[in-house]
């Protein structure tokens, strides 16, 4: 397609007519099951890696260390093993690679078919993991699951943002993150139950039940219509208008339809979507999307969610108690995400991010102090009361993340890029997220071993920096139609307005 220059379509600032139709609600629920799969994969790995039968079969070095007196030599280093970390982190390395292919399929095949591809990868990965008889088979299963994560995280947030009416876009988009938290809780409950199965095969049940959300996502991808934005962008104008009428519950869709068509015209003129991300006027959403993903991971949330059972075991809880404690944090995660769904379109994005920054900083500082005073390398003076304080602070931290940086880290990038850069922007968003998720997953147990309680001071420092970033550089996007972000957000922001031009640069 030839490159060209077009004037930016003016934003009228009028919300388009739209009802909250059953089609929208059902489509969003089905699509958001991609988050359910993602969450289950996050939660299940920490649980099975604390099961003796799983460690004995695939990680005998770790198993022997824990069973021998060597385990008593260091409270912080029991599980420090690169292969064990690779089991968890390989999923995110695969997701990082898959997201580049997902960017192509999301644009060329659409959001719907990209979600279907994700579902197929999830099913294959689940079968490999549940039937694994070697570490190689186990890792290959995780890689397949990672490919599913890459495709799902690329397509689902875009699908949700594009299909939702403006006034509830935030709430519907957060369904993805809500399903992530439900998946984590589901995994924790399953791990708690399967750990009691005699015969040492409970971990297979834990890994195999990932097939439930995998099948739900695949079914949902088959049943839903693609988004009007995607259909129109791919040249299916009449089908796009028809779907727009169906999801809006009205025949009066001409204003929104014409705005999508104009955005699609600009998008089709862009020859190199990834190169368009570097254009001056796309720099604000690009920088914010990248920084949100880096900050999201350096809150330390995935370190806690990946290894919650392992972490609580390190803190002196028994294996049953550690799994039980991770169930509690999983339940807090789910309930707190409901707070975000209720408040994100009322209070706005910035309020939630800033408040949560303060809450996360305080809770991590308290955890660091308690561990510094009560848990040495070779001795554990943690009383029951202090252990409860740690669990409460972890829950406080998880709750604040769940109503802020968790869902909004995905919501804001999915709603702020212009159409011509939206798929590429989401791809970079997922890519950066997976890079730093991989870094944390691969290094956390080693960091815990070497930094000890100082790891929570490390993460709290990042929380402080990202809160300052939000105060000065993240604009409010509540209630702004997705195709009007340039006019109504970026051109009015005290800092980012200097990057806005009236004419699109050639790409």
């Amino acid at each position: 397609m030839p490159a060209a220059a077009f004037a930016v379509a003016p934003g009228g600032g009028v919300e388009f007519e739209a009802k909250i139709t059953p089609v929208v609600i059902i489509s969003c629920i089905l699509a958001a099951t991609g988050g359910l799969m993602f969450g289950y994969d996050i939660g299940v790995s920490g649980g099975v890696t604390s099961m003796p039968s799983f460690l004995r079969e695939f990680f005998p070095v770790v198993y022997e260390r824990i069973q021998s007196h060597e385990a008593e030599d260091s409270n912080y280093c029991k599980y420090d093993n690169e292969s064990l970390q690779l089991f968890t982190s390989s999923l995110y390395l695969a997701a990082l690679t898959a997201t580049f292919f997902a960017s192509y399929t999301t644009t060329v095949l659409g959001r719907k078919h990209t979600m279907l591809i994700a579902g197929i990868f999830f099913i294959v990965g689940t079968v490999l993991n549940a039937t694994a008889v070697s570490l190689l088979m186990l890792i290959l299963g995780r890689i397949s699951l990672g490919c599913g994560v890459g495709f799902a995280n690329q397509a689902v947030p875009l699908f949700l943002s594009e299909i939702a009416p403006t006034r509830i876009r935030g709430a519907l988009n957060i369904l993805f993150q809500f399903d992530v938290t439900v998946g984590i809780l589901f995994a924790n409950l399953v791990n708690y139950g399967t750990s009691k199965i005699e015969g040492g095969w409970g971990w297979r049940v834990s890994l195999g039940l990932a097939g439930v959300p995998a099948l739900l996502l695949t079914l949902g991808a088959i049943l839903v219509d693609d988004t009007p934005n995607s259909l129109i962008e791919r040249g299916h104008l009449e089908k796009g208008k028809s779907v727009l009428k169906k999801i809006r519950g009205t025949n009066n869709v001409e204003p929104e339809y014409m705005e999508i068509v104009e955005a699609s015209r600009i998008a089709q003129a862009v020859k190199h979507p990834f190169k368009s991300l570097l254009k001056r006027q796309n720099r604000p959403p690009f920088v914010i999307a990248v920084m949100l993903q880096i900050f999201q991971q350096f809150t330390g949330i995935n370190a806690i969610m990946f290894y919650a059972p392992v972490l609580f075991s390190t803190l002196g809880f028994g294996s049953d108690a550690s799994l039980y404690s991770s169930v509690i944090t999983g339940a807090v995660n789910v309930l707190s995400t409901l707070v975000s769904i209720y408040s994100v379109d009322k209070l706005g994005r910035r309020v939630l991010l800033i408040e949560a920054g303060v809450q996360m900083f305080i809770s991590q500082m308290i955890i660091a102090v308690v561990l510094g005073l009560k848990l040495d390398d070779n001795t554990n003076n943690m009383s029951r009361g202090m252990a409860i304080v740690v669990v409460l602070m972890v829950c406080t931290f998880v709750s604040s993340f769940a109503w802020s940086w968790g869902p909004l880290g995905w919501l804001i990038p999915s709603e702020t890029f212009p159409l011509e850069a939206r798929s590429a922007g989401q791809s970079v968003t997922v890519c950066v997220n997976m890079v730093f998720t991989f870094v944390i997953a691969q290094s956390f147990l080693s960091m815990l071993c070497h930094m000890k309680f100082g790891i929570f001071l490390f993460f709290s420092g990042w929380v402080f920096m990202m809160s300052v970033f939000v105060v000065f550089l993240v604009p409010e996007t509540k209630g702004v139609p997705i195709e009007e972000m340039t006019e109504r957000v970026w051109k009015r922001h005290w800092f980012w307005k200097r990057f806005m031009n009236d004419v699109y640069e050639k790409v």
Side-chain angles (χ1 to χ4, degrees):
M1 290 176 287
F6 293 101
V8 176
V14 178
E15 185 175 330
F16 303 117
E17 181 178 343
K19 299 176 183 177
I20 303 175
T21 61
V23 174
V24 168
I25 300 299
I26 293 172
S27 296
C28 288
I29 290 173
L30 290 174
T33 53
L36 190 65
M37 188 71 213
F38 187 23
Y40 190 87
D41 287 332
I42 291 174
V44 78
S45 59
V48 298
T49 52
S50 69
M51 295 182 187
S53 58
F54 178 81
L55 293 174
R56 183 172 59 246
E57 184 155 351
F58 296 106
F59 305 98
V61 173
V62 178
Y63 176 77
E64 291 297 331
R65 182 192 303 161
I66 293 172
Q67 296 300 314
S68 69
H69 291 295
E70 185 182 348
E72 299 175 2
D73 292 341
S74 176
N75 288 314
Y76 290 98
C77 299
K78 294 177 183 179
Y79 294 88
D80 183 18
N81 180 270
E82 289 187 4
S83 296
L84 183 60
Q85 291 176 134
L86 182 62
F87 164 68
T88 297
S89 63
S90 58
L91 183 148
Y92 305 97
L93 190 60
L96 163 63
T97 305
T99 188
F100 291 105
F101 296 96
S103 175
Y104 175 80
T105 61
T106 303
T107 300
V108 176
L109 301 180
R111 285 54 162 155
K112 170 188 170 79
H113 289 101
T114 302
M115 290 189 293
L116 180 59
I117 293 171
I120 293 171
F121 271 119
F122 281 140
I123 291 171
V124 172
T126 298
V127 172
L128 286 172
N129 271 355
T131 60
V133 293
S134 67
L135 181 58
L136 175 62
M137 194 172 175
L138 195 69
I139 297 298
L140 288 176
R142 292 289 287 179
I143 289 173
S144 182
L145 291 173
C147 291
V149 168
F151 279 88
N153 285 16
Q154 169 75 14
V156 173
L158 292 184
F159 180 92
L160 296 174
S161 284
E162 290 178 347
I163 204 171
T166 299
R167 66 183 181 278
I168 60 166
R169 184 179 65 237
L172 288 183
N173 193 289
I174 290 173
L175 276 175
F176 178 76
Q177 179 66 20
F178 177 70
D179 275 4
V180 172
T181 64
V182 171
I184 293 171
L185 176 60
F186 181 43
N188 288 333
L189 289 170
V190 168
N191 286 333
Y192 184 70
T194 58
S195 66
K196 300 182 181 301
I197 296 177
E198 295 182 3
W201 51 272
W203 61 268
R204 292 191 184 275
V205 178
S206 291
L207 297 178
L209 284 177
V212 175
L215 289 172
L216 287 175
L217 176 62
T218 306
L219 178 64
I222 293 172
L223 295 178
V224 301
D225 289 312
D226 213 338
T227 69
N229 309 63
S230 178
L231 289 167
I232 293 169
E233 185 181 14
R234 290 181 287 124
H236 306 297
L237 301 182
E238 289 305 314
K239 174 67 173 176
K241 180 181 278 190
S242 174
V243 172
L244 188 61
K245 289 178 180 179
K246 183 163 68 171
I247 65 175
R248 297 296 181 245
T250 177
N251 289 324
N252 183 27
V253 297
E254 199 63 27
E256 184 175 7
Y257 173 74
M258 292 308 299
E259 184 161 296
I260 296 173
V261 169
E262 175 63 14
S264 177
R265 187 169 71 95
I266 295 173
Q268 290 173 353
V270 175
K271 191 173 183 180
H272 305 290
F274 281 95
K275 187 178 177 182
S276 74
L277 289 175
L278 303 179
K279 292 191 302 183
R280 183 176 175 83
Q281 61 264 36
N282 286 336
R283 207 166 298 165
F286 177 75
V287 170
I288 287 177
V290 168
M291 295 308 299
L292 285 180
Q293 302 316 303
I294 295 173
F295 287 142
Q296 186 192 72
Q297 295 312 307
F298 278 95
T299 59
I301 184 63
N302 278 342
I304 290 175
M305 301 315 294
F306 289 154
Y307 300 111
V310 172
L311 178 62
F312 286 126
S313 178
T314 295
L315 298 179
F317 292 76
S319 59
D320 276 358
S322 66
L323 286 169
Y324 184 67
S325 300
S326 66
V327 169
I328 293 175
T329 59
V332 169
N333 204 11
V334 172
L335 294 174
S336 300
T337 305
L338 290 175
V339 174
S340 186
I341 291 176
Y342 174 78
S343 60
V344 67
D345 290 313
K346 294 180 173 64
L347 300 177
R349 285 64 162 152
R350 280 171 50 85
V351 169
L352 292 177
L353 289 172
I354 294 169
E355 185 282 331
V358 174
Q359 189 169 323
M360 287 191 289
F361 179 82
I362 293 173
S363 58
Q364 285 190 324
M365 292 295 290
I366 293 175
I367 292 173
V369 170
V370 172
L371 296 187
L373 294 175
K374 298 296 182 180
L375 190 68
D376 295 329
D377 218 8
N378 306 104
T379 59
N380 185 353
N381 298 317
M382 186 87 64
S383 66
R384 181 178 178 82
M386 286 295 100
I388 291 174
V389 169
V390 171
V391 173
L392 288 176
M393 287 300 101
V394 168
C395 289
T396 300
F397 170 82
V398 168
S399 67
S400 57
F401 178 89
W403 66 55
S404 61
W405 284 88
L408 300 184
W410 294 109
L411 169 61
I412 293 174
S414 73
E415 66 183 2
T416 51
F417 282 103
L419 183 59
E420 80 274 7
R422 193 170 300 152
S423 181
Q426 185 67 13
S427 181
V428 171
T429 297
V430 175
C431 174
V432 174
N433 187 281
M434 292 301 114
V435 166
F436 285 93
T437 303
F438 171 77
V439 169
I440 293 297
Q442 185 62 27
S443 62
F444 174 71
L445 292 178
S446 297
M447 291 171 67
L448 181 63
C449 179
H450 292 92
M451 298 176 68
K452 303 178 177 54
F453 68 90
I455 193 170
F456 292 98
L457 297 176
F458 170 79
F459 286 132
S460 64
W462 279 94
V463 170
F464 177 80
M465 285 191 292
M466 71 193 202
S467 299
V468 173
F469 177 82
V470 171
V471 169
F472 291 102
L473 294 177
V474 176
E476 184 56 69
T477 55
K478 178 187 70 172
V480 180
I482 195 169
E483 304 300 350
E484 297 186 10
M485 290 292 171
T486 297
E487 294 293 327
R488 295 178 58 183
V489 174
W490 304 119
K491 285 189 175 182
R492 299 180 184 181
H493 189 268
W494 73 273
F495 180 79
W496 297 121
K497 65 182 180 182
R498 69 190 68 185
F499 294 93
M500 296 294 106
N501 301 323
D502 290 331
V503 178
Y504 272 76
E505 298 172 4
K506 293 183 178 181
V507 179

